[in-house]
Amino acid sequence: MAAVVMALTGEPGAGKSTALQWFASRGAAVLDADAAVRDLWKEPWLLEQARRRWGEAVFSGGAVDKKAVSRIIFSDKEEYNWLCRIIYPVVYARLQRALPPRGIAVAEIPMLFEAGRPRWVDCVLFMAADHGLRARRSAFRGLDDVELARREKYFMKKEERMERSDWTVCNDGTPADLYDALAKIWEDLKRLEEKAQKA
């Protein structure tokens, strides 16, 4: 029996990482596409690709300057698409290899629909929240209103992403409100797991 895999996606600052931690506390195997991307930036082959494409301007002290890369890719759709074509097939392959053979797995993939939903994802949870609230939550990462708006131009329209998802959680309330919503989804996932066991 294969694991039941839910992709966790949504708007920046909507609480995806908090939700991922909650599912982990319930026993789900959790995977993080952003963490996989961060690991890729330590690998010589990707550093060489970046150097050939952008030169030394995106390096500092021998390491890639991620802020410099962000300035480039979130200002030029062609550069953004070029980088996605390189990294997402590798990230998806690594996430797939990390899936458990059974149980429930939750993979946080912020750019799920933009990068293409992989075949091994069974269902999708979309996280949303008020723009101002998301900006306040993201401030510690240097993502203010302006930077959020700049990055969100590269996302599919919110309504379309919600339409393509199995569940949507609007995380505008208290942590308790969020956990209550996640608990209902967890029950749905357990039912899917039971069906998979019987298949």
Side-chain angles (χ1 to χ4, degrees):
M1 181 197 77
V4 172
V5 183
M6 181 179 75
L8 174 59
T9 192
E11 299 177 296
K16 296 185 296 296
S17 296
T18 300
L20 191 71
Q21 294 171 4
W22 187 91
F23 285 116
S25 74
R26 294 303 183 274
V30 296
L31 301 91
D32 184 345
D34 280 351
V37 171
R38 288 193 294 271
D39 287 342
L40 281 185
W41 279 115
K42 301 172 186 175
E43 298 188 9
W45 69 269
L46 183 54
L47 298 178
E48 182 57 28
Q49 291 273 5
R51 183 173 279 108
R52 289 180 181 178
R53 185 80 175 189
W54 301 312
E56 295 300 323
V58 295
F59 287 86
S60 176
V64 71
D65 182 341
K66 294 175 185 175
K67 289 185 178 180
V69 172
S70 293
R71 283 194 295 271
I72 291 172
I73 65 173
F74 290 115
S75 299
D76 188 320
K77 186 71 170 178
E78 183 178 343
E79 298 302 316
Y80 174 85
N81 289 337
W82 173 81
L83 185 59
C84 287
R85 285 194 301 270
I86 290 175
I87 64 173
Y88 268 98
V90 179
V91 167
Y92 279 175
R94 293 184 181 184
L95 292 180
Q96 184 177 17
R97 287 197 296 270
L99 292 173
R102 58 185 60 83
I104 298 170
V106 179
E108 183 181 349
I109 309 175
M111 303 295 289
L112 174 73
F113 297 119
E114 295 77 9
R117 175 176 169 172
R119 291 190 301 272
W120 43 266
V121 166
D122 299 305
C123 50
V124 179
L125 166 59
F126 183 82
M127 300 281 296
D130 172 76
H131 178 83
L133 183 58
R134 293 190 293 107
R136 291 194 293 275
R137 290 172 180 165
S138 302
F140 77 97
R141 293 187 291 155
L143 303 179
D144 58 12
D145 282 331
V146 174
E147 184 62 19
L148 276 179
R150 189 166 73 98
R151 295 187 177 208
E152 287 174 0
K153 290 190 300 183
Y154 291 81
F155 283 91
M156 189 181 294
K157 289 185 180 298
K158 174 182 176 179
E159 293 76 16
E160 187 171 353
R161 287 182 285 163
M162 291 170 62
E163 179 67 25
R164 296 187 181 195
S165 301
D166 298 275
W167 305 274
T168 294
V169 169
C170 187
N171 185 23
D172 287 345
T174 66
D177 293 331
L178 172 61
Y179 301 150
D180 285 346
L182 296 179
K184 294 175 182 177
I185 294 169
W186 181 246
E187 291 303 316
D188 290 342
L189 290 173
K190 289 199 293 186
R191 283 191 285 271
L192 289 173
E193 182 192 14
E194 290 174 4
K195 290 182 181 178
Q197 287 177 338
K198 296 175 182 177

